């Protein structure tokens, strides 16, 4: 990974250990059996959306590309695998020179997806592809869960901006990925400095209750903040009495006060009162920011309130009830040799229990209706019908081991907005329902 | 952080950016106002347990110590803060020499906690303490959520071992912390190689369905696996027909076959059938491992089934319905100067809305009944009553900026088992209920 280019807040020397042990033991057994080099196709997909959700959001693809590029076994890692006797010497030798040399196609990041959508397709030898399973799923399952929640919140907020502020509610590095996914989903800013550093996402933040409590009087705190951060700052007005604090805030900062933040209480009621008070004090341009365990439903319920921006923490970083997706990474086809011309045979688990999947290397396309709106997710294993040829969803991401599709996060964010806008209107209903597009198999 | 000592799978050069921007803007304003050096006490605690949970589990403390030790602003980070105009030059200068120099006391890792328990107490100047809020909460909120779920699953499993295998369902680095937290909660092993590398947790894993599908016949796959991994391996028997696979597994590996794994279907029913079949085939010592979206309830429902070990993924790493705790980090007392003799005044948010907290620097003790079982969580701000003096919960973790309480993870794990065993019996009921100990304030 080009950590220097990307300005990582953490330098990840290798992603190779973000891996379940069985990937390596399967490799060992396949190497010994002579089947490790069989040409194989793996696909990442989900059998269903989280209960009641109407669409999924592909997020994390850019991070997957970094992870694949940086998946290598250095001396420390090999020493660990040897010492713990996790795999044998021939396998360690094979791992020492591991570089993914295959091809990856996938839904472009920010696209929407539905049950069965082949979100990522990884092709190469069994050995080189199977190793990537765990880290690919970790990234896609986490980031897509956050992006899906973000997308719903953005729909609920209409044209009001959303601030991601959930770092304290999730693992410190998951938080950075969550900020990124929230931005893909349409959030505007983040409180997480690491996300600003790593991904260039605009960061915001002014003060917490501790700052008010540090000072002898609330007025001292407001004065200190305005002196240092300017009149355009956001003052937190609910440490003691909200009405008193709003009065004092305007007294201290004047009518150019940037914003007030409300972090507790009945936000609908309080926002109305504060708006009225601010207007009466002549601070008609002072904005109101609300934060307090918001989710997409709370945001929607504040649509008629005089609120200018929402800050969202817990519910964003925990996927608003669905903290992970159920994406799986399955071998769907393989040849009997490494020969690129050997025919690929579709394979699939057959056992009972609802975990079956459909074998074969798949294409996917989104069929449009006469108005140009999305109408169905069409998935097939044979030739692509002519009328769907230019509506295909998979794009080339890695070609012969080289990443070919890095893109700025703003492009991804815009893509998601466009993809969501192209769905039937019911996509953005918050109520529980079926996937808004049917999946059709050809 | 002594990354060399600790064998990190990722080298984290600094934890300083795992921080919400407002911590830094508060610092700037307080520096300018002359209040930044006021002696302050912050406490991390939770106002409530997740709905229906009967106890919490402190986890992540060891990671907090690493994070505090490694919280420093290097040239890259300062350059970012300058370029983005996040704070002014005097603040950047102050940050450049930042090292936490205060004291931290806390519940020892693995302890149980209840609403109001002062899980961590951070003392020093306002400036040095406020900066640590975000990263401390990230770690405690994430790790404690996972450990609490793990602890319930371990209770449900009785003396059967639990395998953590959720890496693919959460962020790749959250997964490593989740493995650690699961181990604290009583899990036995993990599939996550990074957790083995970083924390020395025993790792396990043999094969997935892809390995069977790679081969021309299931028998070929079994033979390849047994050839390479030995007869003691675990064969996955639900790719096609379970009964046929079990028959073939014993045929290939003999009656010394280590275990079979079942990953789909009605586990209760299938486990009984497979046990009977294995016994009839003479493989009475071959174990049965089940994995398939298990949670504590599913584990409990299999208590009467002939199952030897459980593998748990999604529900573990997502906290079994509660992926985060609601721990907060609040200024509870502060002096009017940096003078260590200046009196500490208790402070607390007073506004309505349920977010009030109790001011003052707190101690905590667990009162025992006559049988020596835990009876109440007692929290106070004044002198500790004599009869509770030797039942105090907070221990010194950092003294004058130096970590003084690093400990092996096995010690933490044993502590949790002992703490849980000391709770009233109803603690391990899986049904929803009130916290099993009342919190009393003195």
């Amino acid at each position: 990974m080009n950590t220097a280019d990307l300005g990582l807040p953490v330098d990840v020397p290798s992603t190779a250990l973000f891996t379940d042990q069985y990937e390596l033991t399967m490799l060992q057994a396949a190497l010994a059996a002579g089947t490790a080099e069989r040409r194989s196709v793996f696909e990442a997909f989900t059998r269903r959306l989280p209960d009641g959700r109407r669409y999924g959001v592909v997020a994390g693809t850019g991070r997957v590309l970094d992870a694949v590029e940086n998946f290598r076994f250095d001396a420390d890692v090999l020493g660990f695998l040897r010492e713990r006797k996790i795999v044998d010497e021939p396998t360690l030798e094979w791992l020492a020179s591991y570089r993914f040399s295959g091809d990856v196609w996938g839904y472009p990041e920010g696209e929407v997806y539905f049950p069965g959508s082949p979100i990522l397709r990884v092709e190469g030898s069994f050995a080189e592809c199977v190793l990537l399973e765990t880290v690919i799923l970790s990234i896609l399952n986490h980031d897509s869960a956050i992006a899906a929640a973000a997308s719903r919140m953005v729909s609920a907020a209409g044209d009001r901006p959303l601030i991601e502020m959930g770092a304290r509610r999730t693992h410190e590095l998951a938080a950075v990925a969550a900020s990124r996914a929230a931005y893909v989903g349409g959030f505007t800013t983040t409180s997480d400095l690491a996300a600003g550093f790593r991904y260039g996402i605009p960061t915001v933040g002014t003060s917490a209750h501790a700052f008010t409590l540090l000072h002898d009087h609330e007025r001292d705190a407001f004065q200190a903040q305005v002196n240092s951060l300017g009149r355009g700052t956001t003052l937190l007005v609910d440490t003691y009495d909200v009405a008193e604090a709003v009065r004092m805030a305007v007294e201290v900062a004047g009518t150019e006060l940037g914003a007030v933040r409300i972090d507790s209480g009945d936000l609908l009621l309080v926002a109305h009162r504060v708006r009225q008070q601010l207007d009466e004090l002549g601070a008609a341009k002072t904005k109101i920011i609300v934060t307090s365990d918001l989710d997409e439903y709370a945001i929607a319920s504040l649509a008629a309130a005089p609120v200018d921006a929402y800050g969202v923490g817990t519910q964003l970083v925990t996927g608003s009830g669905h903290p992970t997706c159920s994406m799986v990474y399955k071998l769907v086809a393989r040849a009997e040799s490494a020969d690129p011309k050997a025919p690929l045979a579709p394979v699939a688990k057959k056992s009972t229990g609802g975990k079956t999947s459909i074998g074969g290397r798949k294409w996917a396309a989104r069929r449009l209706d006469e108005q140009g709106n999305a109408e169905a997710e069409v998935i097939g294993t044979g030739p692509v019908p002519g009328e769907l040829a230019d509506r295909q969803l998979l794009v080339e991401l890695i070609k012969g081991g080289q990443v070919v599709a890095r893109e700025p996060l703003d492009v991804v964010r815009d893509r998601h907005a466009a993809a969501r806008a192209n769905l039937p209107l019911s996509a953005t209903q918050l109520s529980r329902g079926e996937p808004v597009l049917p999946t059709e198999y050809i």
Side-chain angles (χ1 to χ4, degrees), chain A residues 239-264:
Chain A
T239 304
Y240 305 109
D241 179 80
V242 173
E244 176 63 16
V246 169
R247 193 187 57 70
M248 210 173 341
V250 176
E251 217 172 270
V252 167
T255 54
E256 308 102 285
L257 174 61
V260 296
R261 178 162 77 94
I262 308 165
D263 185 46
S264 57

Side-chain angles (χ1 to χ4, degrees), chain A residues 366-376 388 391 422-425 437:
Chain A
R366 192 156 297 148
R367 198 174 64 227
L368 305 184
D369 64 15
E370 285 174 6
Q371 286 73 45
N373 293 316
E375 181 180 71
L388 291 176
R391 292 295 305 162
N422 192 237
L423 293 176
L425 280 179
L437 295 191

Side-chain angles (χ1 to χ4, degrees), chain A residues 34 87 91 103 118 133 136 189 213 253 260 273 285 301 329 363:
Chain A
V87 285
T91 308
D103 301 323
E133 175 178 30
I136 285 177
T189 51
L213 297 173
V260 296
R273 286 192 186 157
K285 288 187 178 163
S301 76
Y329 180 88
W363 54 263

Side-chain angles (χ1 to χ4, degrees), chain A residues 262 266-278 288 304-307:
Chain A
I262 308 165
D266 178 336
L267 296 176
L268 181 64
L269 187 75
V270 178
H272 275 291
R273 286 192 186 157
V274 168
R275 181 74 271 159
Q276 189 182 348
Q277 190 185 0
L278 284 169
I288 297 177
V307 166

Side-chain angles (χ1 to χ4, degrees), chain A residues 9-347:
Chain A
V10 284
D11 175 22
V12 179
S14 170
T15 51
L17 285 183
F18 300 139
T19 298
D20 287 327
Q21 177 165 313
Y22 75 8
E23 320 287 9
L24 268 62
T25 48
M26 284 192 278
L27 169 67
Q28 174 183 315
L31 284 172
T35 47
E37 297 302 323
R38 287 185 168 195
R39 191 156 65 92
S40 297
V41 182
F42 285 81
E43 285 173 0
F45 62 93
T46 178
R47 296 186 180 98
R48 58 185 186 284
L49 298 180
D51 244 19
R53 289 285 177 86
R54 294 163 187 265
Y55 61 96
V57 180
V58 178
T61 315
R63 299 209 307 117
V64 166
L65 301 182
D66 291 346
V68 172
E69 203 169 49
N70 198 45
F71 199 94
R72 50 191 63 183
F73 294 81
D74 64 14
D76 278 358
V77 168
L78 293 170
F80 162 74
L81 297 175
R82 177 178 291 117
E83 189 193 330
R84 295 281 284 262
K85 298 186 171 56
I86 288 168
V87 285
D88 60 16
E89 285 300 322
T91 308
L92 291 172
E93 254 174 64
W94 190 94
L95 290 174
S97 61
Y98 179 83
R99 299 285 185 280
F100 181 71
S101 70
D103 301 323
V104 178
W105 288 66
Y107 277 42
E109 188 166 8
E111 250 305 348
V112 295
Y113 71 83
F114 297 91
S117 298
I119 289 157
L120 208 71
R121 192 177 69 208
V122 179
E123 305 190 45
S125 72
F126 174 81
E128 68 181 339
C129 296
V130 76
L131 290 186
L132 300 175
E133 175 178 30
T134 311
V135 74
I136 285 177
L137 288 178
S138 288
I139 294 172
L140 293 179
N141 273 322
H142 175 268
D143 292 14
S144 299
I146 310 302
S151 178
R152 284 163 62 85
M153 292 170 182
V154 168
S155 292
D159 53 7
R160 295 173 180 175
L162 286 163
I163 308 162
E164 187 283 305
M165 40 193 280
R168 65 189 56 197
R169 300 289 174 217
T170 187
H171 183 276
E172 65 276 19
L173 275 148
V176 185
S179 274
R180 183 185 181 283
Y183 192 72
V184 169
F187 273 53
T188 313
T189 51
T190 179
S191 64
D192 189 337
L193 291 170
F197 186 77
R198 174 65 183 82
Y199 297 114
I201 301 170
T203 58
V204 294
T206 56
S207 64
H209 296 111
F211 189 75
T212 301
L213 297 173
L214 170 68
H215 292 87
D216 300 335
H217 304 285
E218 193 172 34
R219 175 187 296 271
D220 297 349
F222 286 1
Q223 193 67 60
Q225 185 176 332
V226 169
N227 286 351
S228 179
L229 303 176
R231 295 171 190 275
T233 194
T234 300
L235 292 172
L236 179 58
V237 293
D238 70 337
T239 304
Y240 305 109
D241 179 80
V242 173
E244 176 63 16
V246 169
R247 193 187 57 70
M248 210 173 341
V250 176
E251 217 172 270
V252 167
T255 54
E256 308 102 285
L257 174 61
V260 296
R261 178 162 77 94
I262 308 165
D263 185 46
S264 57
D266 178 336
L267 296 176
L268 181 64
L269 187 75
V270 178
H272 275 291
R273 286 192 186 157
V274 168
R275 181 74 271 159
Q276 189 182 348
Q277 190 185 0
L278 284 169
D279 291 349
E280 286 169 4
L281 292 167
K285 288 187 178 163
T286 299
K287 293 184 171 171
I288 297 177
I289 301 172
V290 296
T291 58
S292 184
D293 280 337
L294 297 176
D295 62 10
E296 61 267 47
Y297 304 101
I299 291 167
S301 76
L302 291 166
V307 166
D308 298 286
Y310 305 93
V312 186
T314 306
Q315 292 302 317
L316 185 273
V317 298
T318 59
S320 197
H322 298 293
T324 187
C325 304
S326 49
M327 279 186 218
V328 292
Y329 180 88
K330 295 293 175 189
L331 180 66
V332 295
R334 49 100 188 138
E336 292 194 4
S337 74
D339 182 353
K341 285 179 191 141
L344 283 169
V347 294

